């Protein structure tokens, strides 16, 4: 197995902050959508609508904060987004109806998108000669953290009480706050000068816009395991609810073992494009198998879902 822990220094600090963050995220990613549908008792349609609104908000916030990180210093901006995310996530325990849910999830999702934008200059600064390999390290570390969080989230799903789900949410918020504290050990990233020229020049670059649109479509895959599968498994199949944690664990274990290895052959736009096409085929097959699990006997539904997750994970890597 490739070495997962980066060398001592800034890369290890980034990886440690990421690990703490993703342990908390693993709690929410595995069963967060069930918190709102099973514990808060919001209809699944309202949860989907609220998440869609939050997605639109995060799009605008991410662009603005990315510019701010470039000009004001990425470390401080990123740490601030983590603190906001912790506070917004803690606010989930106060949600009791649709509009408070929308407000809380918009704040949390917007802060997450802002954090991803602010983290990019940090990775660019400390990623070394092969930043894609460092990203692969981070992705493997991410999945180790998520797998640990998924194990704890499985307990909350199994217990199924409102208090258990609230503990899950509070643990998530604590993870975000702790991640911000670890990040402060990182040396500051010197902001760069503001670039001249038109501010919206990217909108004139048609190949860039095409790639952005395709990437937006492919990004739907991130919500398949964290939103679609938990709701689908509980509402449309006879598979046992604890399998939600099982699907997340299979995904994370495979990524931990093979993500760094899978990234090593991606060293040019051509090889990246070929890998992207293979990913699309894998997601198509995976989602087709998930759809076939509806109405099947419990053993068949579980088999289809687990097989689909394996294929989905191959596409994800």
């Amino acid at each position: 197995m490739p070495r997962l822990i980066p060398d001592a220094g800034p890369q290890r600090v980034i990886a440690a902050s990421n690990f703490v963050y993703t342990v908390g995220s693993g709690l929410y990613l595995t069963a967060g959508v069930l918190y709102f549908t099973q514990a808060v008792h919001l209809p699944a349609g309202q949860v989907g609508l609220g998440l869609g609104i939050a997605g639109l908000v995060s799009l605008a916030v991410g662009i603005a904060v990315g510019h701010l990180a470039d000009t004001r210093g990425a470390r401080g901006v990123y740490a601030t987004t983590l603190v906001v995310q912790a506070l917004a996530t803690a606010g989930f325990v106060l949600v009791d109806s649709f509009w408070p849910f929308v407000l809380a999830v918009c704040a949390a999702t917007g802060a997450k998108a802002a954090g991803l934008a602010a983290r990019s200059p940090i990775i660019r600064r400390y990623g070394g000669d092969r930043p894609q390999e460092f990203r692969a390290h981070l992705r493997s570390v991410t999945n180790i953290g998520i797998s640990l969080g998924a194990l704890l989230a499985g307990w909350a799903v199994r217990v199924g009480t409102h208090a258990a789900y609230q503990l899950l949410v509070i643990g998530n918020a604590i993870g975000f706050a702790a991640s911000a504290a670890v990040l402060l050990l990182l040396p500051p990233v010197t902001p760069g000068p503001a670039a001249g020229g038109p501010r919206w020049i990217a909108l004139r670059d048609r190949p860039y816009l095409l790639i952005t649109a395709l990437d937006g479509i492919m990004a739907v895959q991130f919500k398949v395991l964290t939103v679609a599968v938990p709701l689908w498994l509980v509402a449309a199949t006879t598979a046992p609810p604890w399998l939600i944690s099982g699907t997340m664990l299979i995904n994370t274990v495979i990524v931990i073992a093979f993500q760094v290895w899978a990234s090593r052959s991606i060293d040019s736009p051509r090889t990246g494009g070929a890998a992207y096409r293979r990913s699309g085929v894998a997601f198509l097959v995976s989602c087709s198998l998930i759809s076939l699990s509806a109405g099947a006997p419990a053993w068949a539904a579980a088999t289809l879902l687990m097989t689909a997750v394996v294929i989905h994970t191959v596409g994800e890597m």
Side-chain angles (χ1 to χ4, degrees):
M1 181 186 297
R3 181 174 53 85
L4 297 179
I5 302 176
D7 294 331
Q11 288 193 2
R12 186 169 292 183
V13 173
I14 296 169
S17 174
N18 191 67
F19 174 74
V20 174
Y21 177 91
T22 53
V23 170
S25 293
L27 294 169
Y28 179 74
L29 289 174
T30 305
V33 69
L34 295 181
Y35 168 71
F36 294 113
T37 57
Q38 303 296 313
V40 183
H41 302 296
L42 291 176
Q46 288 189 3
V47 172
L49 177 60
L51 292 175
I53 294 171
L56 294 175
V57 170
S58 65
L59 177 64
V61 171
I63 294 173
V65 174
H67 176 72
L68 189 65
D70 284 335
T71 56
R72 298 294 182 183
R75 188 195 67 170
V77 173
Y78 183 33
T80 300
T81 66
L82 292 173
V83 172
V84 172
Q85 202 171 346
L87 295 173
T89 302
F92 288 172
V93 300
L94 303 177
V95 169
D96 58 0
S97 58
F98 177 67
W99 286 112
F101 160 68
V102 171
L103 179 62
V105 81
C106 280
T109 305
K112 180 179 180 179
L116 291 173
R119 193 180 73 162
S120 292
I122 295 176
I123 295 176
R124 187 167 62 242
R125 171 65 178 82
Y126 295 116
D129 296 333
R130 289 180 56 83
Q132 75 274 17
E133 187 170 328
F134 179 51
R135 286 181 183 275
H137 280 290
L138 289 180
R139 192 163 186 80
S140 294
V141 170
T142 292
N143 280 271
I144 294 172
I146 289 175
S147 65
L148 294 176
L151 287 172
L152 297 172
W155 168 82
V157 173
R158 187 174 182 83
V159 174
T161 63
H162 189 270
Y165 278 113
Q166 283 195 325
L167 284 175
L168 178 151
V169 170
I170 292 170
N172 189 13
I174 292 172
F176 293 154
S179 177
V182 173
L183 190 71
L184 295 180
L185 300 175
L186 189 71
V189 178
T190 304
R199 295 191 62 180
W200 301 101
I201 193 170
L203 297 180
R204 304 176 189 175
D205 188 336
R206 291 183 180 180
Y208 174 78
L209 293 178
L210 176 61
I211 287 293
T212 301
L214 290 174
D215 193 54
I217 295 170
M218 292 286 277
V220 173
Q221 63 94 3
F222 288 109
K223 297 299 181 184
V224 170
L225 295 185
T226 60
V227 177
V229 167
L231 290 176
W232 181 262
L233 189 149
V234 170
T237 79
T238 56
W242 58 261
L243 196 65
I244 294 171
S245 288
T247 58
M248 185 64 71
L249 283 172
I250 284 181
N251 170 264
T252 55
V253 167
I254 293 174
V255 173
I256 291 165
F258 298 110
Q259 179 66 79
V260 174
W261 171 81
S263 71
R264 289 187 170 179
S265 62
I266 312 299
D267 55 5
S268 70
R270 183 178 296 277
T271 56
Y276 224 47
R277 287 190 291 271
R278 293 194 296 270
S279 295
V281 173
F283 295 146
L284 173 62
V285 174
S286 172
C287 289
S288 299
L289 291 177
I290 291 171
S291 70
L292 294 175
S293 64
W299 68 268
T303 301
L304 285 167
L305 287 169
M306 298 301 259
T307 303
V309 168
V310 171
I311 296 172
H312 179 96
T313 305
V314 172
E316 177 184 334
M317 290 191 299

